[in-house]
Amino acid sequence: MNSNSVILPVHNAQQWLDECLMSVLKQDFEGTMELSVFNDASKDQSMTIIEKWKMNLEDSGIPVVIGGHDSPSPRGVGYSKNQAIIQSTGSYLCFLDSDDVMMPQRVRLQYEAAVQYPTSIVGCQVRRDPPDSTERYTRWINQLAPDQLLTQVFTSHGPTVIMPTWFCSRAWFFHVGPFDEGGKGVPEDLLFFYEHLRKGGGVFRVDHSLLLYRYHLYAATHSVLEMTIWTHRVHFLEEQALPGWESFTIWNAGKQGRRLYRSLSAASRRKVVAFCDVDENKIKKGFYCHEDSQERPKPQVPILHFRAAQPPFVICVKLDLTGGEFEDNLKSLHLQEGRDFIHFS
C-alpha cells in the first residue's frame, strides 16, 4: 500500500496545535502514514508542543519528520509547505493547517479517492468554526455540484476545493508545483490551483465533512489583498475562458460589471457586446461609456434587459444575495454552466 504524508506548516500556532496533532493521532487509516512538520520561525511554544507530540505519534506508529528555521522573520506559507513536502517521503500528500482539526476518517477516505483520481486535487466538505463566521462561503464549499468544481473556478471564492482540505499524489504535485514562495500577500493556493487546471488536473470532493476549518483574525488568508486576487482572476478568465468566445455579455451593469469591463485587455473588451441587468434605471441609460478608454470615439456598450441579451454571459452578480431572484432569472434561460455562462463574482 502507498504511504501518506500529512503536510503541516507551523508558524506561532501554540493555541491550536494540541487539537490539530491529536487529530493526526486519531486517524483510522491502516496504511503507512507519517507527519511532516515545518516550523516557519515560530516565536511561541509551538516547537515544544510538537516535540511533546512526536513521542506520542511515533509510539503509535506514525513517524514524525521535523524541519524549520529560526530566522527573525517567517518565509511564508508557500515556502513552508514546499519544505515540508521535500522532507517527506509519502506517495500521497495530505495538507493540514495548524489551526484545523481532521476527522478520524479523513486520510482514509481521501486516500481512497486520490488513488482513483491520480491527477486530481481531492478535497472534502468542512465544518466551520465558529459555525456562523462565513455562512455563504461555507455553503458554497460544501454544496457545489461535481461539474461546478470545474465551472466555478473563476469566482471570488477561489479554489473550488479549499486548500486546507487538499489531498493529492506526490507525483502530481511535482508535475504542477511547487507553491509560489513570494510570502506574505501571495495567494499561493490560488496560483497552484490555476496551474493545476492549466495542466489538465481534475477536482474531486469527498462528500463527507472531514475537517473542522477555523476562522480567525490571524489566518494567513487575511494578508492577501483583494486587488491581488482580482488581477489573477481576470488574467485567468482571459486566458482560459474568453478565447473560446467570439463575443459575450457581462451580466451586471453596476459597479462589479463595469469594474470587470475596465479590467479586461483591449482585445477582450472588444468582445463585450452588451451589459445586461434587471434594474430599469440602468437599462434606461441605454449604454455604458468607458470614459478612460484611449479609443476614439470612446466605446459605448449597450445595457439591455437580461431577457433581451445574448449568451454567453460572464456573471458579476453574487450568488445567494438576491433572495433567489437572480438564480430564478438565470434558470429561466435554460443555459448550460461553463458553456453559456461563467460565474465571476
Side-chain angles (χ1 to χ4, degrees), residues 307-323:
R307 292 207 183 282
Q310 287 297 308
F313 298 101
V314 174
I315 293 173
C316 291
V317 179
K318 286 202 182 294
L319 301 174
D320 267 6
L321 287 183
T322 61

Side-chain angles (χ1 to χ4, degrees), residues 218-229:
Y218 307 106
T221 320
H222 299 310
S223 71
V224 183
L225 296 175
E226 188 273 341
M227 189 65 210
T228 304
I229 290 177

Side-chain angles (χ1 to χ4, degrees), residues 83-310:
Q83 292 302 312
I85 291 163
I86 289 163
Q87 71 188 18
S88 72
T89 58
S91 313
Y92 289 85
L93 307 173
C94 173
F95 291 91
L96 177 62
D97 284 357
S98 55
D99 51 356
D100 294 334
V101 180
M102 298 194 282
M103 301 304 114
Q105 66 275 42
R106 181 187 173 195
V107 170
R108 174 172 56 85
L109 292 178
Q110 289 193 281
Y111 167 74
E112 286 167 6
V115 169
Q116 222 177 329
Y117 301 99
T119 60
S120 284
I121 289 177
V122 175
C124 64
Q125 293 175 325
V126 300
R127 196 156 53 81
R128 202 56 153 144
D129 179 48
D132 56 353
S133 52
T134 56
E135 286 179 73
R136 281 182 64 243
Y137 180 47
T138 307
R139 192 160 52 238
W140 183 81
I141 294 166
N142 289 335
Q143 293 181 3
L144 285 174
D147 57 336
Q148 289 179 315
L149 296 173
L150 284 174
T151 57
Q152 295 215 359
V153 296
F154 303 101
T155 73
S156 58
H157 287 318
T160 49
V161 290
I162 59 163
M163 170 67 222
T165 72
W166 286 6
F167 198 110
C168 67
S169 81
R170 172 182 292 274
W172 183 255
F173 174 84
F174 281 110
H175 177 66
V176 175
F179 288 109
D180 187 294
E181 296 188 354
K184 196 172 180 182
V186 172
E188 82 293 328
D189 55 343
L190 185 68
L191 296 177
F192 186 95
F193 189 67
Y194 284 169
E195 190 56 28
H196 163 75
L197 295 170
R198 283 186 191 108
K199 295 203 163 158
V203 189
F204 183 82
R205 186 186 65 218
V206 174
D207 281 340
H208 292 275
S209 183
L210 301 178
L211 191 78
L212 180 70
Y213 178 35
R214 283 213 172 91
Y215 179 83
H216 58 88
L217 295 175
Y218 307 106
T221 320
H222 299 310
S223 71
V224 183
L225 296 175
E226 188 273 341
M227 189 65 210
T228 304
I229 290 177
W230 174 272
T231 306
H232 286 305
R233 286 172 57 219
V234 171
H235 177 71
F236 192 63
L237 178 78
E238 292 195 294
E239 174 201 292
Q240 295 290 312
L242 300 187
W245 292 350
E246 284 178 27
S247 63
F248 64 96
T249 300
I250 295 177
W251 191 317
N252 184 353
K255 202 165 138 190
Q256 280 293 86
R258 296 196 305 266
R259 181 187 182 193
L260 173 61
Y261 178 81
R262 290 193 302 270
S263 302
L264 294 171
S265 67
S268 296
R269 274 203 301 266
R270 283 194 285 275
K271 291 185 173 186
V272 179
V273 290
F275 288 91
C276 73
D277 215 294
V278 290
D279 185 332
E280 292 299 337
N281 291 328
K282 292 187 184 114
I283 295 163
K284 262 184 212 149
K285 282 182 186 163
F287 62 86
Y288 165 70
C289 180
H290 181 35
E291 293 294 349
D292 299 332
S293 173
Q294 301 304 304
E295 290 179 59
R296 293 293 176 271
K298 289 178 181 173
Q300 294 191 345
V301 185
I303 301 174
L304 309 171
H305 188 276
F306 78 91
R307 292 207 183 282
Q310 287 297 308

